[in-house]
Amino acid sequence: MSETPVSTPNPAPRPQGAYVTAVAEPLRAGDVLLTSAGMTPREDGRLVVTGLVGRDLDVAQARGAAALAARNAVAAVTAGDAGRVRRWLRMTVYVACADGFTDLSAVADGASEVLDALGLGRPARSAIGVRALPGGAPVEVELTAIAAPNVEDE
């Protein structure tokens, strides 16, 4: 029986937008994993942008909606703990889009820009095209972060 030679792994692919391809974050005692539910572009609980990207909204409008949804995800993840987040780990951006629309990464970059402005590094990210989202939202953002231990809890 012959052995298969071990090959050198391929280099990581370059990001196709404002994200990193992988995140490695050492865990420390007391670290807290924070994750949001899917957040849509809402203000005061009201969906303010609806429609399919590539049919009802152009990329610029969808990027703005993604930014608003990302701000909502950040608010959910950091509620009461804004100073504790030490690293964005992962973001998933769902884009409700017309058939044939493929510029998903450009839409998701609107959400990435929100995290860039807050610092703490870029997360790994997926941009996924879907047929529909709740309430007719054009985008939905999920966010995962890691928070430092709360010194008061120790």
Side-chain angles (χ1 to χ4, degrees), residues 70 74 88 91 110-123 143:
V74 167
W88 307 117
M91 181 167 54
S112 292
E113 290 167 0
V114 170
L115 299 188
D116 283 349
L118 297 171
L120 308 177
R122 285 185 171 165
L143 181 60

Side-chain angles (χ1 to χ4, degrees), residues 49-73:
V49 185
T50 60
L52 289 180
V53 181
R55 185 188 76 187
D56 308 313
L57 292 99
D58 63 23
V59 170
Q61 293 168 314
R63 281 174 73 103
L68 177 55
R71 286 192 295 275
N72 290 336

Side-chain angles (χ1 to χ4, degrees), residues 33-150:
L33 186 66
L34 305 168
T35 188
S36 77
M39 296 290 161
T40 53
R42 293 179 182 271
E43 292 178 345
D44 298 321
R46 187 177 61 83
L47 190 61
V48 296
V49 185
T50 60
L52 289 180
V53 181
R55 185 188 76 187
D56 308 313
L57 292 99
D58 63 23
V59 170
Q61 293 168 314
R63 281 174 73 103
L68 177 55
R71 286 192 295 275
N72 290 336
V74 167
V77 164
T78 62
D81 293 326
R84 293 179 52 205
V85 171
R86 63 181 178 84
R87 183 73 166 96
W88 307 117
L89 297 177
R90 176 144 189 79
M91 181 167 54
T92 304
V93 180
Y94 299 94
V95 181
C97 55
D99 288 344
F101 181 82
T102 60
D103 210 0
L104 302 166
S105 197
V107 172
D109 282 348
S112 292
E113 290 167 0
V114 170
L115 299 188
D116 283 349
L118 297 171
L120 308 177
R122 285 185 171 165
R125 186 188 81 193
S126 296
I128 302 169
V130 298
R131 173 81 55 206
L133 289 167
V139 294
E140 184 172 14
V141 174
E142 294 175 348
L143 181 60
T144 303
I146 194 161
N150 187 340

